Amino acid sequence: MPEDIITRAVGGFRRLWGCTMVNHVWGLMSRPGPELQQIQRERETVSHVYSHHVLLMALIPVVCSFIGTTQLGWNFGDGQRLIVSMFTASYIAVIFYVLMLGAVALMGRIIYWMARRYDSRPSLNSCIVFAGYVATPMFLSGIVALYPMVWLCLFVGLIGLCYSGYLLYLGIPNFLNIDHREGFLFSSSTLAMGVLVLELLLALTVLMWGYGAKLF
């Protein structure tokens, strides 16, 4: 009897966990404005958004890159493929995963730092939560790594970046309680900083997944 209760409780928790994450992901892609407002009303903690969203979403590019680089190999467009060994790909995947988790926290800190001149400056916790959800399209774009062709990965990654920028433009005015013109300027500056972080992450990614076997 106690085992049945525990089983049902765990099953319900898993369904609730998965449903919440899927709802937010679907909402951000189909109706981003209302979904961002809903996320703000929920007032999640950093630990909650990481455990229910970021940790899982960040697995998408990691797992897809692992499969793509070990089974198909990097295609640089010259007809040759660079296949990464399972052993090398395993620890590169761990490093890649940690880097992405850190990038979300870093972007949250950047938003928090840039919002210092506003009276309605949100907490660092809220900024990291906001950054975690804004990064959703970037995580989803990692699916393309199943077929690791360099130009294709860059193209799809650019689409993900543009949509993340769109979420930023939509969410910042309400998030900071500022008008849309001020929100546009703030979002542009934040996006520029985000691009720098992304470029660094992409450079490290190419080095690790493309030349990991030689570097390590």
Side-chain angles (χ1 to χ4, degrees):
M1 186 67 176
E3 290 80 2
D4 293 338
I5 296 175
I6 294 174
T7 301
R8 286 197 295 269
V10 171
F13 174 75
R14 286 177 175 173
R15 286 193 296 272
L16 178 61
W17 187 19
C19 182
T20 301
M21 187 193 74
V22 170
N23 284 343
H24 279 321
V25 172
W26 175 252
L28 288 170
M29 303 308 292
S30 61
R31 48 184 185 86
E35 192 66 26
L36 286 170
Q37 294 177 7
Q38 174 62 31
I39 289 170
Q40 186 176 356
R41 286 193 294 268
E42 291 176 358
R43 298 187 179 278
E44 293 181 72
T45 62
V46 172
S47 59
H48 186 274
V49 75
Y50 263 80
S51 62
H52 287 71
H53 185 80
V54 177
L55 289 174
L56 298 175
M57 294 300 296
L59 283 174
I60 294 175
V62 172
V63 173
C64 291
S65 296
F66 181 87
I67 295 173
T69 55
T70 57
Q71 302 304 311
L72 297 177
W74 275 108
N75 185 344
F76 294 96
D78 56 0
Q80 297 182 346
R81 291 183 178 274
L82 180 62
I83 297 178
V84 182
S85 69
M86 287 282 189
F87 176 75
T88 301
S90 297
Y91 60 76
I92 290 177
V94 173
I95 298 173
F96 185 36
Y97 188 58
V98 172
L99 282 175
M100 285 192 295
L101 299 182
V104 170
L106 177 59
M107 283 308 303
R109 287 189 172 275
I110 289 174
I111 294 172
Y112 179 71
W113 176 75
M114 293 184 65
R116 66 191 183 282
R117 63 190 181 92
Y118 296 105
D119 295 332
S120 56
R121 182 189 191 185
S123 65
L124 177 60
N125 177 92
S126 298
C127 291
I128 294 176
V129 170
F130 180 70
Y133 282 111
V134 167
T136 298
M138 293 297 299
F139 290 140
L140 291 176
S141 68
I143 295 174
V144 74
L146 285 171
Y147 186 71
M149 180 176 286
V150 174
W151 70 264
L152 182 61
C153 290
L154 290 175
F155 177 71
V156 176
L158 180 61
I159 294 175
L161 175 63
C162 290
Y163 198 85
S164 288
Y166 175 63
L167 293 181
L168 195 62
Y169 283 115
L170 280 180
I172 282 295
N174 187 60
F175 184 60
L176 297 180
N177 194 26
I178 55 180
D179 59 48
H180 286 280
R181 180 180 177 279
E182 188 71 19
F184 178 82
L185 296 175
F186 184 95
S187 300
S188 299
S189 301
T190 306
L191 186 60
M193 297 290 289
V195 169
L196 292 177
V197 173
L198 177 64
E199 287 179 349
L200 177 61
L201 188 60
L202 284 176
L204 292 173
T205 300
V206 171
L207 284 174
M208 288 189 300
W209 287 112
Y211 301 98
K214 298 178 181 179
L215 293 175
F216 302 100

